[in-house]
Amino acid sequence: MFVEMLPAIAFYILAATAVGMAFMVIASRNPVHSVVFLIGTFLASAGLFVLMGAEFLALLLIMVYVGAVAVLFMFVVMMLDVDFVEMKQGFLQYLPIGGVVACILLAEMILVGAASLVNPGAGVKFAEDGTSNIEAIGNVLYTEYAFFFEAVGLILLLAMVGAIVLTLRKRDGVKTQNISEQIARTREGGVELVDIKPGEGIGS
Amino acid sequence: MIELFGMEWPWLLWKLVQILLFVIVLLVGLAFLLLMDRKVWAAVQLRRGPNVVGPFGLLQSFADFLKFVFKELIIPAGSDKVLFILAPIITLVTAFGVWAVVPAAPGWVISNLNLGVLYILAISSLGVYGIIIGGWASNSKYPFLGALRSTAQMISYEVSIGFILITVLLLVGSLNLTEIVNAQAGGFWNWHALMLDFGDPKSLILFPVMFYMFVLFCISALAETNRPPFDLPEAESELVAGYQVEYSSTAYLLFMIGEYLNIVLMCAMLTVMFLGGWHAPLDVKLSFMPQIPPFFWFAGKVVFMFFLFAMVKAIVPRYRYDQLMRLGWKVFLPSSLVAIVIVSTYVMMFGRTAVGLAGGG
């Protein structure tokens, strides 16, 4: 009896952790603490994915979001010099627009929940027996959705190039190392043997 | 039979015993690896190394352990106390957690995950947080700079490690570490680092590619674990001790154990991915000789790789930071991408090398 309840218990623990952590992301005063709670939210959601049987997605979530994206968040947030008093002042000003966004999100969630109540079992489609998670995703991603997959890749590449173009600037007078130039140096170009007479030195 | 958490009692107990055993073996092994590290370093520099505690200094690591534990834990007044304590714990827990999927011998694995490689990448990417949080929570300049350096470095080299692993995964066709080891059974010519199977001439194309990948993985592993010559986050001439400056006593000990566990993990990864795991280099069975247990092959390869890492630490001078970044992004990343193209072309044309071997070993 206890055994059947176990997934439910795990779900409630993970879901409560995710919601609580998500609340703390906006509630905590220190932005670095916010990012730490955000990581907690990601981990709890990864746990929820595992409960659904989507362990590939769970590990991907940890790898991409926790291992890379959140690290960059933290990287930036740590270096910010934030004036907390000033930050708190804008809170009321942005409350209406934040409220609208929250209401839209809530409505969407209710719609999704209602849809799954009306048409149970339509949400998650499990792969056939014998195919693992990663195979099932690969089979769909590289056949049916190959075009979209590649289009997304191109868009990401474009975004990356765009970011580099925006920030790259050539400055004069900056000493940088040119590795190929260094390696291409030969003895002829770099060393000069001068026969110096004693007591005279070099130069004019 | 009493059931708890959906598992039978003996099964649960057996798993707990396994985990406990694994942790103890790892920690004791680590103590001697640490000593070996120092001894190798000393030998290169014509010193004796630790030789006072116990015979040949064998108990030095345990003496150090006691020393760390009995010292006073100093928490700086300006630090973020919760995160300051949390950081070394994160480092240690993630460092131990990754070992759950590493197979040391046939069946000697705590969790035989199908997505083992992905699990290792995911959990070890969490290890960055120990360093970055520790550096920030110290509220001091050297730790902060060290943490920034370390984060950028670890993220950069994680990318190339991921790409290098993909070449192995393409050849095996599985993310399960046990299957990856079994695909290399038979002899050293089947190891992914060497691919010298002359019975199958077309697979010789892979030898230069995979050997290069093996070397790249070695170097990336050094950078990923902040080992010399890439120990810029804790470069003593520039940053005193990097993110560890404010740490003392047990907190520092946790950082150090976590760091060394990660180094040994990288040795184990190299062994599993490229050096055939627990398989002997030559698969000969002589009747008059007792069979060497597979675990000793695994441990021997790990210790050999650790010896190489220790030699690198002793011999090679430290890199400059921009050179490190250049190496990671402009050399390792493109060349491992090219290697993926070559290997996947090979797999598409001739099929996997491991197909005939699947199920063996």
Side-chain angles (χ1 to χ4, degrees):
Chain A
M1 171 217 125
F2 185 70
V3 178
E4 285 96 66
M5 274 168 59
L6 202 74
I9 294 172
F11 170 78
Y12 282 117
I13 291 176
L14 285 170
T17 317
V19 173
M21 292 269 188
F23 178 74
M24 286 309 289
V25 172
I26 49 171
S28 62
R29 288 164 175 275
N30 193 325
V32 174
H33 290 181
S34 289
V35 179
V36 173
F37 284 119
L38 187 68
I39 295 159
T41 318
F42 283 143
L43 289 179
S45 351
L48 287 175
F49 271 131
V50 172
L51 272 186
M52 287 168 71
E55 63 265 10
F56 176 65
L57 277 185
L59 288 176
L60 218 60
L61 184 78
I62 293 181
M63 241 176 86
V64 174
Y65 282 91
V66 182
V69 175
V71 171
L72 292 180
F73 275 7
M74 191 166 254
F75 213 91
V76 174
V77 163
M78 278 190 339
M79 287 191 282
L80 288 179
D81 188 19
V82 188
D83 188 356
F84 294 109
V85 183
E86 198 179 307
M87 213 169 72
K88 286 275 178 273
Q89 280 171 350
F91 185 69
L92 277 177
Q93 193 187 336
Y94 293 112
L95 195 61
I97 194 163
V100 169
V101 172
C103 284
I104 292 171
L105 281 178
L106 186 68
E108 279 177 354
M109 277 183 206
I110 289 172
L111 277 177
V112 170
S116 73
L117 272 182
V118 172
N119 188 6
V124 184
K125 200 169 135 194
F126 289 98
E128 299 91 62
D129 297 326
T131 48
S132 69
N133 233 296
I134 188 165
E135 271 177 273
I137 288 179
N139 279 337
V140 183
L141 204 61
Y142 291 104
T143 54
E144 249 179 89
Y145 299 106
F147 173 72
F148 301 101
F149 186 64
E150 282 169 14
V152 166
L154 266 182
I155 292 170
L156 280 175
L157 182 70
L158 202 68
M160 202 166 78
V161 172
I164 293 170
V165 167
L166 280 178
T167 51
L168 189 72
R169 57 189 171 129
K170 269 264 185 296
R171 278 182 299 174
D172 293 329
V174 181
K175 282 182 181 165
T176 48
Q177 190 178 20
N178 190 343
I179 304 277
S180 47
E181 213 169 77
Q182 271 187 359
I183 295 170
R185 244 166 81 99
T186 54
R187 186 185 160 81
E188 285 72 43
V191 183
E192 190 188 354
L193 281 181
V194 184
D195 203 7
I196 309 165
K197 283 181 188 144
E200 282 187 9
I202 40 172
S204 48
Chain B
M1 208 170 276
I2 313 158
E3 287 197 51
L4 185 79
F5 299 132
M7 307 145 208
E8 284 147 9
W9 255 109
W11 187 87
L12 193 68
L13 269 180
W14 174 229
K15 276 290 162 195
L16 285 176
V17 169
Q18 268 187 338
I19 293 170
L20 200 68
L21 210 70
F22 216 94
V23 168
I24 291 172
V25 169
L26 261 182
L27 277 178
V28 174
L30 203 65
F32 289 110
L33 279 176
L34 249 163
L35 181 77
M36 180 183 139
D37 200 18
R38 293 169 70 175
K39 280 282 192 189
V40 169
W41 207 6
V44 172
Q45 297 168 349
L46 300 179
R47 292 185 287 117
R48 278 171 189 277
N51 63 349
V52 176
V53 189
F56 311 109
L58 276 178
L59 300 176
Q60 180 67 44
S61 296
F62 299 97
D64 284 344
F65 172 78
L66 290 177
K67 187 187 81 176
F68 278 126
V69 170
F70 289 126
K71 279 200 171 180
E72 185 191 357
L73 178 62
I74 299 166
I75 300 176
S79 68
D80 190 318
K81 291 187 183 54
V82 178
L83 291 185
F84 188 79
I85 299 293
L86 194 66
I89 297 174
I90 293 175
T91 306
L92 189 81
V93 169
T94 53
F96 267 118
V98 181
W99 280 90
V101 292
V102 177
W108 287 24
V109 52
I110 292 172
S111 171
N112 196 7
L113 271 187
N114 271 330
L115 298 173
V117 176
L118 210 58
Y119 174 85
I120 287 182
L121 285 177
I123 303 298
S124 64
S125 70
L126 293 182
V128 188
Y129 285 109
I131 291 170
I132 190 169
I133 291 177
W136 180 81
S138 302
N139 197 11
S140 163
K141 286 191 181 59
Y142 286 132
F144 187 62
L145 287 173
L148 289 184
R149 277 186 175 191
S150 173
T151 317
Q153 176 178 337
M154 286 171 85
I155 288 183
S156 309
Y157 279 85
E158 238 169 49
V159 180
S160 61
I161 280 190
F163 277 128
I164 293 164
L165 290 183
I166 286 177
T167 57
V168 175
L169 300 182
L170 282 171
L171 286 179
V172 180
S174 168
L175 277 82
N176 187 320
L177 289 167
T178 309
E179 279 178 35
I180 290 173
V181 173
N182 279 336
Q184 304 174 61
F188 68 86
W189 52 87
N190 281 329
W191 293 357
H192 286 141
L194 293 169
M195 302 301 281
L196 281 173
D197 190 0
F198 285 99
D200 185 14
K202 64 183 186 300
S203 76
L204 289 177
I205 308 164
L206 289 175
F207 167 67
V209 179
M210 291 313 287
F211 188 73
Y212 181 57
M213 285 296 104
F214 171 66
V215 175
L216 277 203
F217 195 100
C218 285
I219 301 171
S220 300
L222 289 172
E224 177 73 9
T225 50
N226 299 331
R227 266 296 263 201
F230 306 114
D231 60 338
L232 292 145
E234 44 205 273
E236 65 274 3
S237 54
E238 298 160 27
L239 293 176
V240 190
Y243 57 93
Q244 299 165 337
V245 167
E246 304 288 349
Y247 281 92
S248 55
S249 173
T250 314
Y252 173 77
L253 180 72
L254 295 188
F255 260 134
M256 201 177 71
I257 292 179
E259 201 175 299
Y260 268 89
L261 267 180
N262 279 330
I263 294 163
V264 182
L265 175 86
M266 281 300 166
C267 299
M269 286 275 282
L270 275 164
T271 308
V272 167
M273 294 286 169
F274 289 100
L275 297 179
W278 59 72
H279 290 297
L282 287 171
D283 200 6
V284 281
K285 288 189 179 69
L286 297 173
S287 54
F288 58 88
M289 256 168 56
Q291 190 71 27
I292 299 170
F295 175 72
F296 283 94
W297 285 115
F298 177 82
K301 287 171 188 172
V302 170
V303 170
F304 175 71
M305 286 316 298
F306 192 84
F307 171 73
L308 288 190
F309 280 20
M311 288 297 280
V312 169
K313 178 179 176 173
I315 294 169
V316 184
R318 188 176 287 135
Y319 248 57
R320 214 174 59 203
Y321 199 72
D322 62 318
Q323 290 172 332
L324 170 86
M325 283 296 163
R326 176 189 162 272
L327 191 70
W329 289 106
K330 292 189 182 169
V331 180
F332 285 11
L333 193 61
S335 52
S336 53
L337 268 171
V338 170
I340 288 180
V341 173
I342 295 173
V343 171
S344 49
T345 313
Y346 176 87
V347 170
M348 281 307 287
M349 284 172 76
F350 304 117
R352 302 210 155 89
T353 54
V355 166
L357 301 156

